Amino acid sequence: MSRRAYYFNSINNFILEDDERVLGQLLINDEFETTDLQKMAWRSEIQILKEQLVEFLQGDIIFEYSIPRMGHRVDVICIINGIIFLLEFKVGDKEYKKSTSDQVMDYALDLKYFHDKSGTRYLVPINVSTRAVGKQNEYYCMTDNIYNTLFCNKNNIGSTIREVISRINDTSLSALEWINSRYAPTPTIIEAAQALYRKHGVEDISRNDAGAKNLTITTETISNIIDQCKKNNEKAICFVTGVPGAGKTLAGLNIANERHRFNEDEHAVFLSGNGPLVDVLQNALAIDRAEREGITKKNALRETKAFIQIIHKLRDDALTTDIAPVENVAIFDEAQRSWDEESLTDFMKRKKGIPDFNQSEPEFLISIMDRHKDWSVIVCLVGGGQEIYNGEAGIQDWFKTLSDNYSDWKIYLSDKITDTEYVGESDISTLLHGREYRSIPDLHLGVSLRSFRSEKLALFVKLLLDERAEDAHGVYCELKQSYPIYITRDLEIAKKWVKNQARGTERYGLLASSEGKRLRAEGIWVPSTINHVGWFLNGKDNVDSSYYLEVAASEFKVQGLEVDYAILAWDADFRYTTKGFDYFKFRGTNWNHVNKEQRKRYLKNAYRVLLTRARQGLIIYVPEGSDEDPSRNSIYYDRTFQYLKKTGIEEI
């Protein structure tokens, strides 16, 4: 039996097979301890389907098909006349729940976009509430060949399938080929973390075979360095680089997950300075584990907080003691964004009351891990062009610390870290003052895991922000085939668009720059503090969730995270003028011009982050402004709107 499904057979053989033999196969392949409730549900499903599928003997049936990206299994898949029917059962339910309809639609979307043999097929999601009253179905197929969710009880599954078959034709499809087809998703970082935490390998959740191989090789290379340090009582630091979208964060989570070995008294921790990302990941893992294992979220959160931490927690804990941390392996995400000496020293004096502190973050973090008497490994994940905060040091401070101190630490570098996006105009030998290091090509993630549309989106956004409108227009023409981007002056139109685009539980949300202070006049607040965990994880029925489109998340809340569809509200802080983009902060009652080059770069990067947060599609809302309000002069917005249209973005 394929590890992807618990049971697979022709419908004819399934009907002839003894119920208990079918149930036995399901029980044998169940990776968890099967509950009595689950056994009863399977028995009912088997009996119902034997009655309902009797006229479709040329088809095939699959029970419990795994979708690793989502951590779920589809109850039943029937492939009949080449059409893929997805059945989500709620045995005993007397009503059709919206959550079930969303769930089965999510499965259809997942298979459509990430499963090779499903990509060109008709997919029909069905919500089966066995004891519900029969419902009159509307039948309509969307442009990507996914049907609207249909509703069945235990008596009309067969007639509903027959109705669909009367409406559409498809070529035959081998269920054996289908079940063994390549499944190659592009998970969000939340989904990827959950899948790794459930002990799925990166090959289960990577879109690109070469990318999965690349990730595996990089992980093995670091694991070998860790094993060597452990065996020989050595200390080492590794610098991992990667092309945009190659999965540096995923690699770090993978290493932390693999090396978190409590029984061997070996602890690893994934550390990030991105507070919202850490909060969301910790809670997402805890919720997922609590649901799977039937424990409280509070208990589950205790362990996930040990596995993924905000970098400041390690730093603050180290201020209270000279003892080595419990972790021998520390993975620092976005290591180039560590604070420089001036920023951290100032913070320690002002916030922590430590007047004699004078270290950069890299220097302090290495000193913490150096407290281990036996062995220790630091893994630095390094990206380029990500700075949006004041005082971010770049990679040079790590090298400066290593050149001045810690001569017993071995240094392993990606062979690509010499590129200017990482070290500027400097070279490694100068930065390390001639210290010995080893360059390893396998510490570079050279294959993007992002989909084609994400790569094109990143290029489009770069050209847009670099004021290359004609070049951006050319990329937009390619991009719009798979990734819709629109622009509007009407916020209600923008809200309606994202709601109409999203299906199942696809997440949409409202984004805006942290400096977008005059969006308030349009009813859009951009608070500095929001419930970012609820914004990203709560469902459609929760007012704190992104779905309500009431609270705008800024670049600080969404960096490293994603939604499926987004509204970007564009204010006059980053406005297009007769001389190109210009930069402003709103203070008091006026827009003040930004003159510092570094602050300009941060503001431009903020819009780069905001423009690339939506996985499936984006609509940009540019307010009309008001000539009666000098702070919202319509010219501030009109010129930006006209420039964005010049890049090819279509207005609705």
Side-chain angles (χ1 to χ4, degrees):
M1 177 55 54
S2 164
R3 68 191 179 96
R4 299 300 301 279
Y6 288 0
Y7 178 89
F8 158 59
N9 216 331
S10 68
I11 291 175
N12 189 35
N13 287 343
F14 162 70
I15 288 171
L16 294 173
E17 193 167 7
D18 182 75
D19 289 10
E20 291 304 309
R21 281 183 61 85
V22 178
L23 181 61
Q25 282 294 308
L26 292 169
L27 293 171
I28 287 166
N29 289 300
D30 190 358
E31 57 195 301
F32 304 108
E33 189 176 331
T34 314
T35 63
D36 289 340
L37 200 63
Q38 180 63 73
K39 283 182 202 171
M40 287 168 59
W42 278 336
R43 271 204 178 91
S44 294
E45 289 169 27
I46 292 164
Q47 290 162 3
I48 291 166
L49 289 168
K50 281 191 173 190
E51 290 174 10
Q52 291 293 309
L53 300 178
V54 73
E55 63 180 291
F56 307 107
L57 300 184
Q58 298 305 309
D60 295 284
I61 188 166
I62 300 158
F63 278 81
E64 301 292 334
Y65 180 81
S66 171
I67 299 189
R69 181 181 80 97
M70 297 170 65
H72 290 289
R73 290 182 172 272
V74 188
D75 285 346
V76 177
I77 291 172
C78 294
I79 301 177
I80 303 170
N81 289 16
I83 301 164
I84 302 163
F85 295 88
L86 297 89
L87 284 69
E88 186 62 23
F89 275 84
K90 295 302 173 192
V91 174
D93 274 19
K94 295 179 180 178
E95 60 179 337
Y96 302 104
K97 290 180 180 150
K98 177 73 166 64
S99 58
T100 307
S101 296
D102 284 344
Q103 186 179 358
V104 73
M105 178 58 78
D106 285 345
Y107 296 155
L109 290 164
D110 190 277
L111 291 174
K112 168 59 65 176
Y113 293 114
F114 305 132
H115 186 262
D116 277 1
K117 289 292 181 185
S118 300
T120 58
R121 293 284 170 172
Y122 287 103
L123 291 133
V124 184
I126 303 177
N127 174 346
V128 184
S129 294
T130 60
R131 296 179 63 192
V133 174
K135 185 172 180 177
Q136 186 70 41
N137 280 308
E138 293 179 31
Y139 294 85
Y140 58 91
C141 190
M142 288 162 273
T143 53
D144 55 5
N145 288 350
I146 298 177
Y147 252 75
N148 62 302
T149 301
L150 304 177
F151 302 92
C152 292
N153 58 31
K154 66 181 180 179
N155 299 315
N156 61 2
I157 297 169
S159 59
T160 302
I161 290 174
R162 189 166 59 247
E163 178 64 31
V164 172
I165 291 170
S166 74
R167 291 166 176 266
I168 51 176
N169 294 302
D170 213 336
T171 54
S172 64
L173 171 62
S174 159
L176 191 59
E177 270 186 48
W178 184 89
I179 208 168
N180 291 319
S181 171
R182 179 170 167 265
Y183 173 73
T186 309
T188 65
I189 193 61
I190 294 170
E191 292 163 341
Q194 288 173 331
L196 290 172
Y197 204 55
R198 297 182 212 113
K199 305 301 180 190
H200 283 289
V202 289
E203 66 280 357
D204 284 334
I205 54 169
S206 297
R207 180 185 70 85
N208 191 308
D209 285 345
K213 185 179 177 187
N214 194 192
L215 267 172
T216 304
I217 290 169
T218 300
T219 302
E220 284 175 357
T221 301
I222 294 167
S223 248
N224 290 337
I225 291 169
I226 293 170
D227 288 336
Q228 183 183 315
C229 288
K230 193 173 177 180
K231 180 182 175 185
N232 300 329
N233 278 351
E234 294 174 340
K235 294 173 183 174
I237 186 166
C238 310
F239 290 88
V240 177
T241 57
V243 297
K248 292 183 292 292
T249 301
L250 180 56
L253 288 167
N254 197 23
I255 295 156
N257 197 41
E258 287 199 0
R259 305 304 306 204
H260 209 56
R261 301 173 179 173
F262 290 105
N263 57 338
E264 296 178 31
D265 200 29
E266 178 187 318
H267 300 278
V269 64
F270 177 89
L271 297 160
S272 172
N274 184 339
L277 175 69
V278 170
D279 289 342
V280 171
L281 287 180
Q282 284 177 345
N283 280 273
L285 294 186
I287 291 166
D288 188 57
R289 187 176 173 208
E291 287 175 356
R292 282 184 296 110
E293 299 182 15
I295 60 176
T296 65
K297 182 191 168 188
K298 187 177 180 181
N299 284 338
L301 197 56
R302 197 171 295 121
E303 185 175 313
T304 63
K305 282 186 172 179
F307 168 59
I308 298 173
Q309 286 181 22
I310 185 76
I311 206 164
H312 312 318
K313 184 179 184 303
L314 180 88
R315 190 184 67 199
D316 292 349
D317 286 349
L319 289 169
T320 64
T321 178
D322 293 327
I323 298 170
V326 68
E327 299 87 5
N328 288 80
V329 180
I331 298 107
F332 295 112
D333 195 26
E334 301 289 4
Q336 80 286 350
R337 297 184 58 197
S338 299
W339 288 1
D340 58 24
E341 182 178 329
E342 181 183 350
S343 298
L344 186 58
T345 299
D346 178 62
F347 175 81
M348 289 299 193
K349 286 176 181 173
R350 284 187 301 104
K351 299 287 187 180
K352 302 294 180 182
I354 307 173
D356 55 349
F357 190 95
N358 59 351
Q359 293 177 291
S360 68
E361 196 158 39
E363 187 177 1
F364 189 41
L365 293 172
I366 295 174
S367 76
I368 294 168
M369 297 305 290
D370 189 56
R371 294 175 185 178
H372 286 285
K373 301 300 180 197
D374 44 6
W375 68 279
S376 184
V377 176
I378 294 173
V379 180
C380 291
L381 307 173
V382 185
Q386 302 287 316
E387 304 85 3
I388 57 174
Y389 286 95
N390 280 321
E392 294 179 340
I395 203 67
Q396 292 91 332
D397 271 24
W398 289 93
F399 290 145
K400 181 179 185 301
T401 297
L402 290 165
S403 70
D404 295 345
N405 303 294
Y406 309 108
S407 57
D408 58 328
W409 280 66
K410 295 193 169 183
I411 302 171
Y412 299 93
L413 302 178
S414 152
D415 63 334
K416 296 293 190 293
I417 205 158
T418 54
D419 291 358
T420 54
E421 65 179 300
Y422 301 114
V423 295
E425 300 303 316
S426 304
D427 65 88
I428 299 297
S429 293
T430 302
L431 289 170
L432 285 172
H433 291 183
R435 262 199 70 175
E436 188 180 334
Y437 65 88
R438 186 171 161 206
S439 178
I440 303 178
D442 287 341
L443 291 179
H444 179 69
L445 293 161
V447 182
S448 177
L449 295 175
R450 284 183 184 158
S451 62
F452 161 86
R453 62 184 170 215
S454 295
E455 290 163 13
K456 287 290 180 189
L457 175 63
L459 176 59
F460 173 72
V461 168
K462 183 180 190 307
L463 294 169
L464 184 157
L465 294 175
D466 289 348
E467 299 169 25
R468 293 168 59 186
E470 286 185 19
D471 293 336
H473 196 304
V475 176
Y476 177 83
C477 291
E478 291 181 67
L479 180 62
K480 70 178 183 180
Q481 308 302 320
S482 60
Y483 185 96
I485 305 180
Y486 291 102
I487 191 168
T488 184
R489 310 301 295 267
D490 188 325
L491 183 58
E492 290 309 309
I493 287 175
K495 288 181 178 181
K496 187 177 178 182
W497 185 82
V498 291
K499 289 175 182 178
N500 287 343
Q501 294 298 308
R503 287 174 287 178
T505 59
E506 287 182 326
R507 184 169 290 276
Y508 48 84
L510 177 61
L511 310 177
S513 158
S514 58
E515 292 296 336
K517 307 297 186 187
R518 293 309 295 137
L519 292 171
R520 192 170 68 180
E522 311 297 331
I524 299 173
W525 287 68
V526 195
S528 56
T529 303
I530 69 170
N531 175 4
H532 45 264
V533 171
W535 198 90
F536 275 104
L537 298 182
N538 286 344
K540 292 179 180 177
D541 57 348
N542 192 302
V543 296
D544 282 341
S545 75
S546 64
Y547 293 114
Y548 268 71
L549 300 174
E550 290 182 354
V551 175
S554 74
E555 68 274 18
F556 299 124
K557 302 303 178 186
V558 298
Q559 189 172 43
L561 293 160
E562 299 167 308
V563 292
D564 290 296
Y565 295 95
I567 301 169
L568 169 54
W570 197 303
D571 203 4
D573 55 330
F574 186 59
R575 71 182 75 150
Y576 200 76
T577 69
T578 52
K579 296 179 180 178
F581 278 118
D582 208 351
Y583 308 79
F584 293 85
K585 273 176 171 287
F586 193 82
R587 294 294 179 268
T589 59
N590 299 301
W591 287 106
N592 296 326
H593 194 256
V594 173
N595 297 309
K596 282 189 177 179
E597 286 304 314
Q598 188 181 44
R599 289 301 312 157
K600 289 180 181 180
R601 190 169 73 249
Y602 290 152
L603 189 50
K604 184 176 179 179
N605 280 344
Y607 273 83
R608 190 190 314 280
V609 168
L610 295 167
L611 282 161
T612 55
R613 288 311 93 193
R615 285 160 58 86
Q616 311 263 29
L618 171 70
I619 187 163
I620 299 170
Y621 162 60
V622 181
E624 292 278 4
S626 169
D627 292 338
E628 296 174 9
D629 179 352
S631 70
R632 295 190 300 123
N633 190 319
S634 58
I635 203 166
Y636 299 162
Y637 301 97
D638 290 346
R639 283 177 176 159
T640 300
F641 180 75
Q642 292 305 325
Y643 171 74
L644 292 173
K645 284 191 71 175
K646 198 175 171 186
T647 65
I649 304 175
E650 296 171 18
E651 181 182 0
I652 56 170

